[in-house]
Amino acid sequence: MATTSSNLTVTTISLTMAELGPLNPLPVVAAELDQPYTVGEGVPEELQASTRYGVVPNVYPYLMQDGYSREAAPREFPAVVLENSKLKVTVLPSLGGRIWELLDKATGKQLLHTHHAPQLANIALRKAWFAGGLEWNIGTRGHSPTSCDPLHTAIVHTPDGKHILRMWDYERLREVVFQVDIWLPEDSPVVFAAVRLRNPNDHDVPMYWWSNAAIPEADRTRVIAPADEAYGSDYTTDITRVRPTAHEGYDGTWLVNSPHAADFFFDIDPSERRWVVAADGDGDGLAMLSTGLLRGKKLFVWGQGQGGKRWQDWLSPGAGPYAEIQAGLAQTQFEHLVMPSGAEWAWVEAYGNGHLEPEISHGADWGAAVVHAGERLESLLPHEDLEAMLPAAITNADVPPSKMMLHGSGWGVVERVRRQKTGKGWMDESGTPFVDGSITGEQEPWLGLLQGKAFDGAPSFVAGADWEELLSRKDSPEAKFHLGTMRHGRQDLEGAKVAYREMLAAVDARPGITALAHRGLGLALLAGGQDAEGLAELRKGVEADSANLALLTEAVTLNIRHGNPAMALELMVAAPKEGAAVGRLRFLRALALARTGNSGEAASILREGVEIPDLREGEDAIAALWEEVCPGDPVPAAYQFGMH
């Protein structure tokens, strides 16, 4: 039953969605994140330097979320609805805290791209992601590690009369705490979100934050921001300085004009108010406003090509096309900012209907459109009023929760205990408590290690010098394996190989850990150019744990990539015939057959049909293989995922 507190209701929402499935058990140790794009003409040195700062090789210690299929069914999710006379806002705390719906009551329009059947796909840093709503991204370039995770969630009643929905967690990549406070005042035409980031470390951390809003794409939708130029990228070329209204022969501020996927990071003058707004044919659409710290404003489009359309249908079947407008800490998403030791950063965001006049916002005079939009947004929410909200938001951020609604991860508890045991500083948890009730089997072995108990292994992974020191004092095979994994995650390949080999020399190791150690050693050898030795270790890993499908899929993939497709086919003899991994294994079989000269058999597999639930964004491998083994036949639309 729903419970109501003023304009805030705790309820549920039904979505037709696949199960997230089990975590991938393979530690994410390889250097596999895309490196920053090269920087082209017109990009200042300051921006170039910040694209080089803070780059991480991977998202270790997180595990990948790729156990989902495309078999969806109706499921109930906890939801919080904030509602007044003008807006109805629906938030999904168990799915990354996403604002899922933002209904403008006067027009009856959803200002966000939203739908009832979101499909999980391989878009985020941990793979699993879904399109729609407004999401919070932290850590490094890409959709957040918390995209599909429940956040700690509570209702907060503040002394100044606000009823706040608060969501928070500990982010493991940067070792910081983030929180989002959402509230909707009575009769307000905008909903507010106050974000706070806290760095409890005794050192600087590279920081990244972008709030991404998916917006409906209609034929007459235009996006406006107070800038004539932007830093642009089309996902294949350098970052360059561009003019969005005259880009490659078209006006890119109209969503339907872009032939391919593109980013425009608006170069807003520091003296200007920072905003971005979408306007449909009636002038209605989402306005994103923020206090000064949230500097960046961006437009992303999938483009009108076959691949972009296919991706949108893959993510939101039948829900129509969409684009994104976004707001971030840095000017572009290729950058990280330096967050000093002990720093707390906070800002306030506001979202509502911009209500522009289409005759002006859609006119040929860009300057007039910008001036008009700026005036309309000033009347929607004066800049001084928004800035004046920041001090109270900072104060309210520490008001204790009135009612807990949902637990996020238990890693905040582990981090607090680790810092207490090692004499390091932590932070005031008054407003963002990490409670013992959030501890699961993922965290229990690590808490035990901190408490001096024997370490018998863990299904999860941790990072940092303190953990390496604790494990180095243990002599169990599990301790040696995890020590090797930590070294590997931070790219100490030689140290990792030593620990893996010590573990493999043990006589009492469990088969599952033995398999993962062979796999880790194999990856380290491959990274060092020792292909034959590395592939041999991967095979030993599969043989040690033949039921581990993630291990099999990776070994098959790497054998093909490193020139041994025959071994890949040999490994796949006992591959399963059902489950989430089958689609990718079918494709890998076709690819290996093609690489061993059996193009006819490969073509037969593709003609029968292949669907890969965790197909990576922009991955065009199926289409490329089709063109190779079915020459002259047009690539089926279902296989066209390339964005260019």
Side-chain angles (χ1 to χ4, degrees):
M1 171 180 270
T3 58
T4 303
S5 172
S6 183
N7 62 350
L8 190 153
T9 305
V10 177
T11 182
T12 60
I13 187 173
S14 179
L15 297 174
T16 300
M17 199 169 181
E19 295 280 353
L20 188 59
L23 291 173
N24 188 316
L26 307 183
V28 183
V29 290
E32 57 188 16
L33 277 189
D34 296 335
Q35 296 302 303
Y37 293 175
T38 52
V39 178
E41 296 179 3
V43 179
E45 173 54 36
E46 177 189 4
L47 193 153
Q48 294 185 42
S50 55
T51 65
R52 296 187 292 267
Y53 169 68
V55 177
V56 291
N58 51 49
V59 294
Y60 183 87
Y62 288 104
L63 289 172
M64 287 297 173
Q65 296 171 318
D66 59 3
Y68 53 86
S69 70
R70 289 181 66 80
E71 296 175 4
R75 297 168 56 205
E76 293 293 316
F77 293 89
V80 177
V81 175
L82 299 92
E83 187 169 6
N84 65 10
S85 59
K86 295 182 171 66
L87 298 174
K88 181 180 180 183
V89 186
T90 305
V91 185
L92 303 177
S94 66
L95 290 170
R98 196 174 297 207
I99 298 179
W100 188 236
E101 296 178 343
L102 179 50
L103 175 69
D104 176 50
K105 292 185 174 182
T107 62
K109 293 180 180 180
Q110 288 285 1
L111 302 180
L112 297 170
H113 170 73
T114 187
H115 49 113
H116 295 294
Q119 293 276 359
L120 293 170
N122 181 2
I123 305 282
L125 288 165
R126 297 174 66 196
K127 296 192 176 181
W129 184 83
F130 59 100
L134 192 157
E135 59 177 310
W136 322 104
N137 295 299
I138 185 172
T140 192
R141 186 167 72 90
H143 296 280
S144 185
T146 56
S147 286
C148 291
D149 285 352
L151 302 182
H152 296 279
T153 305
I155 310 304
V156 181
H157 304 304
T158 67
D160 58 358
K162 293 189 186 75
H163 303 290
I164 291 175
L165 168 64
R166 174 169 299 157
M167 300 174 292
W168 70 97
D169 217 326
Y170 173 71
E171 200 288 300
R172 304 180 69 205
L173 189 64
R174 299 305 188 186
E175 300 181 331
V176 299
V177 173
F178 70 94
Q179 77 184 83
V180 180
D181 283 7
I182 301 175
W183 72 98
L184 179 62
E186 187 177 1
D187 294 327
S188 171
V190 297
V191 60
F192 296 95
V195 180
R196 179 169 68 162
L197 309 179
R198 287 185 284 175
N199 175 15
N201 298 286
D202 57 5
H203 54 80
D204 298 346
V205 296
M207 189 43 59
Y208 174 101
W209 180 282
W210 281 79
S211 304
N212 291 11
I215 56 170
E217 177 186 296
D219 290 345
R220 296 279 296 159
T221 305
R222 190 184 204 187
V223 168
I224 303 170
D228 292 329
E229 295 189 328
Y231 296 103
S233 165
D234 65 1
Y235 293 82
T236 61
T237 57
D238 294 348
I239 309 163
T240 55
R241 196 171 176 83
V242 301
R243 186 173 288 266
T245 53
H247 179 61
E248 298 178 355
Y250 63 89
D251 184 344
T253 64
W254 295 89
L255 301 186
V256 297
N257 280 359
S258 294
H260 48 66
D263 285 338
F264 296 106
F265 297 95
F266 294 103
D267 187 17
I268 301 174
D269 188 278
S271 64
E272 294 280 350
R273 183 179 190 183
R274 295 182 174 91
W275 51 264
V276 61
V277 61
D280 65 14
D282 301 321
D284 296 316
L286 183 70
M288 298 181 80
L289 305 165
S290 63
T291 53
L293 188 61
L294 207 62
R295 176 186 183 185
K297 298 293 180 283
K298 173 193 170 184
L299 164 64
F300 162 78
V301 291
W302 282 104
Q304 301 305 303
Q306 181 62 46
K309 291 180 181 296
R310 174 63 176 140
W311 265 109
Q312 292 181 81
D313 183 61
W314 179 258
L315 292 164
S316 307
Y322 75 96
E324 293 181 8
I325 55 176
Q326 309 176 7
L329 282 173
Q331 190 155 12
T332 74
Q333 284 169 340
F334 308 102
E335 305 167 76
H336 299 94
L337 301 186
V338 179
M339 187 174 191
S341 167
E344 293 191 9
W345 288 354
W347 63 89
V348 180
E349 307 177 31
Y351 300 97
N353 190 341
H355 288 301
L356 307 188
E357 291 291 344
E359 294 79 9
I360 307 175
S361 62
H362 291 53
D365 187 337
W366 173 253
V370 169
V371 170
H372 166 67
E375 290 172 347
R376 276 296 172 93
L377 298 186
E378 185 66 18
S379 64
L380 178 71
L381 177 62
H383 182 54
E384 286 188 3
D385 290 0
L386 180 58
E387 290 286 347
M389 290 184 170
L390 185 56
I394 292 171
T395 299
N396 287 336
D398 283 322
V399 175
S402 305
K403 179 178 177 56
M404 284 297 298
M405 178 183 160
L406 197 68
H407 288 318
S409 82
W411 292 112
V413 175
V414 176
E415 187 63 10
R416 179 183 68 229
V417 174
R418 179 186 74 83
R419 289 170 185 265
Q420 289 171 342
K421 291 287 184 182
T422 54
K424 293 182 172 65
W426 183 226
M427 39 160 271
D428 180 0
E429 289 188 27
S430 298
T432 55
F434 294 105
V435 298
D436 290 346
S438 62
I439 293 293
T440 69
E442 290 185 41
Q443 294 89 33
E444 284 172 347
W446 300 110
L447 281 175
L449 181 60
L450 288 170
Q451 294 159 356
K453 297 177 182 175
F455 183 74
D456 298 320
S460 55
F461 298 88
V462 294
D466 289 345
W467 294 112
E468 292 189 30
E469 171 64 23
L470 282 168
L471 285 175
S472 67
R473 301 178 201 157
K474 304 289 184 180
D475 199 36
S476 68
E478 288 83 0
K480 293 186 186 303
F481 164 70
H482 277 276
L483 186 59
T485 301
M486 288 182 203
R487 293 171 179 171
H488 200 165
R490 60 179 173 82
Q491 304 309 295
D492 173 10
L493 298 181
E494 293 307 313
K497 285 188 282 190
V498 168
Y500 288 141
R501 286 180 169 130
E502 287 181 357
M503 184 262 144
L504 289 169
V507 294
D508 56 344
R510 292 181 291 111
I513 294 294
T514 298
L516 291 179
H518 279 301
R519 177 255 185 180
L521 181 56
L523 293 182
L525 290 166
L526 288 175
Q530 295 175 269
D531 286 9
E533 298 89 338
L535 296 178
E537 289 296 332
L538 293 182
R539 177 170 186 158
K540 291 177 184 176
V542 173
E543 290 170 345
D545 189 0
S546 58
N548 189 326
L549 287 186
L551 205 62
L552 172 64
T553 304
E554 180 184 69
V556 168
T557 302
L558 291 173
N559 269 277
I560 297 171
R561 187 179 301 164
H562 289 272
N564 196 344
M567 176 66 73
L569 290 170
E570 196 175 320
L571 289 171
M572 279 191 284
V573 168
K577 301 297 187 287
E578 57 185 36
V582 167
R584 183 166 288 279
L585 284 168
R586 271 177 57 79
F587 167 70
L588 290 171
R589 182 182 295 280
L591 187 59
L593 285 165
R595 295 293 171 268
T596 53
N598 296 293
S599 294
E601 291 182 64
S604 294
I605 292 174
L606 295 191
R607 292 185 192 281
E608 287 173 12
V610 169
E611 184 176 81
I612 304 175
D614 67 333
L615 192 78
R616 183 170 174 76
E617 181 181 8
E619 186 177 341
D620 209 19
I622 310 179
L625 183 60
W626 177 279
E627 290 174 341
E628 177 185 332
V629 300
C630 305
D633 291 353
V635 178
Y639 291 166
Q640 294 184 25
F641 286 93
M643 293 193 287
H644 290 269

